[in-house]
Amino acid sequence: MPAEPPVRVVSLVPLGREVTDALSRSAFGPFSVELLPSLVAAQQLDGSVAALLVGADEFVACLGSVPAVAAAALLVVSDQPSALQIAQWLESGAHEVLTPDECTAASLPRRIRTAIERQRIDRDARTAYATDLGTGLPHQQQLIEHISHLLALREREPSPMALLVLRIEGLANTEARLGREAANVLRRKVAVRLRAGVRASDVVASLGEDSFSVLLAAMLSASDAQHVGAKLLASLIAPFKVAGHDVAVAASLGIAQYPEDGSQPQVLLQRAVGLANSGAAQGRVGFANFGEAGGSTPAAANDD
């Protein structure tokens, strides 16, 4: 039976020859180890990397600039990290936190394998539960993770972003007239129009039976959110063809801006949802934003 190929490990943290030799022979691997001189070199890595070791100062920059991070277990090496720092790194996507003294031949192979297994479990859980089966879009928990990731990047380089929530009216009427499957088809078609109306880097997510969200990851100015919101509402004006019938929907829109309206994922989402639910749904362009609502989150309502 052929031997399994070594597990690829890349480190931006210096590791001694004794450590790399131990990794290559370890029963927890075996691992093939590449030592890189800088974050710039790591930016060219592909998805075959199973584990990536980075220093504390490189962690945030690594999240935003190294594509391999998406598929790799991420280990942060820091001298005397505080409990708060460890919690923040783990929340932002790290799978293990080590001190330089723990990067030894005796302990590092096991710690790397532990991080790889944590990453696999996290990935499997996201795959199983992070998708709305009716539309194929990410659901709310995955949206929160996207927002958290972007907020972590903005700790070092602040820049505006916005969260849009659209509440759709007409789904319940479609279900009553044409049946449950017809309503599901309508939801999918609404999702397709929303996805087609934004950039590939933006995140469109499902927030349940009658609401969708759009996370604008990068904007030049706050007015970009209003422009995109108006464009999305306009895209929903034309009727949808469902089960041989022309079906129209109405929509209301709420916009929460970062950093003006909040700096936590749940706060931004709550404000955008509240504004969308408080506004009158329209079959033409219109939107509500936090400033127009007088600076407080309205009570949620569902008029569909």
Side-chain angles (χ1 to χ4, degrees):
M1 187 173 181
E4 294 186 5
V7 178
R8 188 181 181 195
V9 175
V10 173
S11 179
L12 298 176
V13 178
L15 299 174
R17 180 63 180 271
E18 178 185 357
V19 175
T20 58
D21 287 347
L23 286 169
S24 68
R25 300 189 304 268
S26 172
F28 290 102
F31 303 100
S32 66
V33 184
E34 301 170 46
L35 302 179
L36 298 184
S38 68
L39 190 63
V40 174
Q43 292 170 358
Q44 307 304 316
L45 295 171
D46 59 28
S48 67
V49 178
L52 181 63
L53 282 76
V54 300
D57 293 339
E58 302 161 322
F59 174 68
V60 173
C62 181
L63 290 177
S65 64
V66 179
V69 166
L74 190 57
L75 296 89
V76 180
V77 180
S78 174
D79 189 21
Q80 297 181 335
S82 68
L84 178 59
Q85 286 175 317
I86 292 173
Q88 290 175 336
W89 289 329
L90 293 175
E91 185 176 346
S92 298
H95 298 93
E96 183 67 282
V97 178
L98 308 170
T99 65
D101 289 342
E102 291 171 324
C103 294
T104 64
S107 64
L108 189 57
R110 176 179 55 81
R111 302 294 286 267
I112 291 176
R113 173 54 66 182
T114 298
I116 290 173
E117 291 305 313
R118 284 176 180 163
Q119 192 273 345
R120 180 187 62 78
I121 292 169
D122 289 346
R123 183 190 64 230
D124 290 347
R126 287 194 299 269
T127 301
Y129 300 109
T131 300
D132 173 64
L133 298 179
T135 61
L137 296 176
H139 69 19
Q140 182 170 320
Q141 184 55 44
Q142 185 72 351
L143 173 68
I144 292 295
E145 290 186 15
H146 281 294
I147 300 173
S148 299
H149 176 76
L150 291 175
L151 291 177
L153 297 180
R154 280 160 172 75
E155 289 181 2
R156 179 166 296 186
E157 298 182 6
S159 60
M161 70 178 187
L163 181 66
L164 284 59
V165 169
L166 297 101
R167 182 175 60 85
I168 309 299
E169 290 191 356
L171 295 165
N173 288 338
T174 299
E175 181 174 353
R177 289 174 49 222
L178 304 174
R180 178 66 177 174
E181 183 52 35
N184 290 338
V185 170
L186 179 56
R187 284 188 73 238
R188 288 194 290 271
K189 292 194 173 189
V190 169
V192 168
R193 286 196 192 175
L194 295 178
R195 180 68 267 177
V198 296
R199 301 164 299 186
S201 59
D202 299 324
V203 178
V204 180
S206 170
L207 297 181
E209 289 294 316
D210 67 350
S211 296
F212 296 86
S213 65
V214 177
L215 176 61
L216 302 180
M219 304 188 302
L220 295 178
S221 68
S223 63
D224 291 349
Q226 281 84 353
H227 173 75
V228 173
K231 176 183 174 183
L232 293 176
L233 286 172
S235 74
L236 301 177
I237 292 175
F240 297 83
K241 184 69 73 174
V242 178
H245 298 266
D246 286 335
V247 178
V249 300
S252 59
L253 174 67
I255 300 174
Q257 303 263 8
Y258 168 86
E260 294 86 351
D261 294 340
S263 59
Q264 296 298 321
Q266 293 288 1
V267 172
L268 293 171
L269 182 59
Q270 180 183 5
R271 287 183 172 173
V273 168
L275 292 166
N277 286 342
S278 69
Q282 305 171 52
R284 56 186 176 82
V285 175
F287 61 86
N289 61 35
F290 185 56
E292 292 173 345
S296 61
T297 303
N302 189 337
D303 299 323
D304 194 2

